[in-house]
């Protein structure tokens, strides 16, 4: 069974200052996620499922799906903040949806096969898609609780214009993830990479693997999302900014010996547009990749 690519495209884009999911960055006006879908298609993915907001539906269909669907089948679903498990009601002061794990949860009704999850505004590199597609091929038939992620050295994932959020990872001798901790403020200062928490700065090594939200799951993950989302809401439904995040769920699965997550490595180069100041460099990188023959100028 060929895998599906789930693209998380419902983010508000607040730091970037606009809808970066559909910003025209390629030489023919391509958005980053068009490159992601192009790479997934040539790696053998069967279809793409976009998780979006209802208020961008028309623009998204006109600008993205109309083009991407020419090379790979597309579907989409909505991340609604009131999409909650039975027994819970949306608090009046909740302004945004519930985070990346909630976004994946939104796709539970239309994804029935192994799937990869990515951010819409991150460029992961074609090798990353091939690596994760090859991994899915190695899973024995009936294997349900063996997941994976593509790890990147933290030094290759920073922005020159501010802090970034990354899931900092540790692995065991077999290459399985042992911990993943979301650090919301990582930055290079005076030549050293640090994360900031409670006004304290802690150095981390340049080659520390971090999650860029490129995960590989089987459909069993949706059942765990349901379970852990219920637990999360019991403790956090009254917190207007609390987020239900993929690394938090994966960490729980590891600590309870419920599932294993293999950390995959490859030579892919990540880049993205966390801040609007990142944009010119990304435009240039896509032009360089096109000139080098890695991508057609128009697709």
């Amino acid at each position: 069974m060929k895998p599906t690519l789930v693209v998380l495209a419902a983010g508000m884009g607040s730091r970037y200052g606009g809808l970066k999911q559909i910003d025209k960055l390629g030489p023919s006006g391509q958005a980053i996620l068009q490159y992601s879908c192009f790479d997934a298609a040539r790696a053998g993915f069967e279809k793409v499922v976009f998780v979006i907001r209802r208020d961008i539906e028309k623009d998204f269909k006109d600008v993205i799906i109309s083009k991407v669907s020419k090379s790979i089948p597309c579907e989409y679903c909505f991340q609604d903040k009131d999409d909650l498990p039975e027994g819970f009601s949306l608090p009046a002061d909740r302004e945004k949806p519930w985070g990346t794990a909630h976004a994946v949860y939104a796709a539970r009704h239309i994804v029935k096969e192994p799937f990869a999850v990515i951010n819409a505004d991150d460029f992961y590199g074609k090798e990353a898609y091939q690596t994760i597609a090859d991994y899915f091929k190695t899973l024995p038939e009936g294997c349900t609780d063996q997941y994976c992620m593509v790890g990147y050295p933290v030094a290759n994932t920073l922005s020159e214009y501010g802090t970034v959020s990354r899931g900092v990872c540790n692995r065991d001798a077999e290459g399985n993830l042992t911990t993943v901790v979301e650090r919301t403020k990582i930055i290079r200062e005076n030549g050293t990479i640090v994360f900031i928490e409670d006004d304290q700065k802690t150095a981390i090594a340049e080659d520390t693997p971090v999650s860029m939200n490129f995960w590989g799951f089987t459909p069993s993950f949706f059942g765990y999302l349901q379970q852990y989302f219920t637990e999360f809401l019991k403790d956090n439904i009254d917190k207007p900014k609390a987020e239900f995040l993929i690394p938090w769920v994966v960490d729980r699965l590891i600590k309870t010996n419920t599932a294993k997550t293999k950390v995959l490595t490859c030579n892919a180069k990540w880049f993205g547009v966390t801040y609007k100041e990142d944009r010119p460099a990304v435009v240039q990188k896509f032009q360089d990749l096109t000139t080098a023959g890695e991508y057609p100028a128009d697709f």
Side-chain angles (χ1 to χ4, degrees), residues 11-259:
M12 303 297 284
S14 55
R15 286 182 293 179
Y16 182 65
L19 285 178
K20 54 185 174 180
Q21 300 95 328
I22 58 176
D23 194 6
K24 298 179 179 180
L25 300 167
S28 296
Q30 298 97 330
I32 285 181
L33 60 80
Q34 288 177 252
Y35 287 88
S36 299
C37 297
F38 184 89
D39 286 336
R42 58 180 171 175
F45 281 72
E46 183 75 22
K47 67 177 179 180
V48 177
V49 173
F50 297 103
V51 182
I52 65 173
R53 303 199 313 268
R54 291 184 184 274
D55 63 297
I56 66 170
E57 179 182 10
K58 184 181 186 305
D59 285 344
F60 202 90
K61 289 172 67 175
D62 292 346
V63 176
I64 299 298
I65 292 181
S66 64
K67 297 176 181 177
V68 172
S69 60
K70 295 177 181 178
S71 58
I72 188 169
C74 299
E75 297 182 59
Y76 65 92
C77 59
F78 299 113
Q79 184 182 10
D80 293 323
K81 59 185 178 182
D82 60 355
D83 182 13
L84 303 174
E86 186 176 353
F88 294 94
S89 299
L90 181 70
D93 57 352
R94 184 76 193 187
E95 295 181 0
K96 295 182 179 182
W98 299 86
T100 54
H102 181 242
V104 178
Y105 179 73
R108 65 194 182 278
H109 299 303
I110 55 177
V111 176
K112 306 300 181 184
E113 54 282 315
F115 63 100
V117 177
I118 65 167
N119 294 332
D121 51 0
D122 289 319
F123 176 84
Y124 295 96
K126 67 177 183 179
E127 297 94 340
Y129 295 89
Q130 193 63 60
T131 297
I132 212 165
D134 289 345
Y135 175 80
F136 280 133
K137 293 176 185 177
T138 70
L139 292 180
E141 186 175 351
C143 180
T144 59
D145 294 333
Q146 181 66 61
Y147 306 144
C148 64
M149 60 160 284
V150 178
Y152 291 77
V154 66
N156 293 348
T157 72
L158 304 178
S159 170
E160 297 179 10
Y161 301 103
T163 61
V164 296
S165 297
R166 303 288 182 252
V168 178
C169 305
N170 288 297
R171 295 171 287 184
D172 64 18
E174 297 179 345
N176 290 313
L177 194 64
T178 56
T179 62
V180 54
V181 180
E182 191 77 4
R183 301 298 184 189
T184 57
K185 295 181 179 179
I186 300 177
I187 194 169
R188 186 187 296 277
E189 290 189 343
N190 301 319
T192 300
I193 301 173
V194 300
F195 69 84
I196 304 168
E197 188 172 39
D198 297 328
D199 295 325
Q200 297 293 318
K201 297 178 181 179
T202 304
I204 51 178
E206 301 266 330
D207 61 351
T208 300
V210 296
S211 163
M212 298 306 303
N213 235 27
F214 197 156
W215 301 92
F217 299 114
T218 64
S220 67
F221 190 65
F222 291 115
Y224 298 129
L225 285 177
Q226 178 83 21
Q227 174 187 340
Y228 288 137
F229 193 26
T230 299
E231 293 181 15
F232 172 86
L233 290 172
K234 288 178 181 177
D235 295 330
N236 295 281
I237 195 164
D238 59 344
K239 300 173 183 177
K241 295 185 178 180
E243 290 191 294
F244 180 53
L245 301 173
I246 295 172
W248 184 87
V249 175
V250 171
D251 197 49
R252 291 288 297 273
L253 291 170
I254 293 169
K255 288 178 177 176
T256 57
N257 293 315
T258 303

Side-chain angles (χ1 to χ4, degrees), residues 27 35 38-39 42 123 126 284-299:
Y35 287 88
F38 184 89
D39 286 336
R42 58 180 171 175
F123 176 84
K126 67 177 183 179
Q284 185 60 53
K285 287 175 181 176
F286 280 133
Q287 183 59 61
D288 293 343
L289 286 168
T290 303
T291 301
E294 294 287 336
Y295 297 93
D298 191 12
F299 60 90

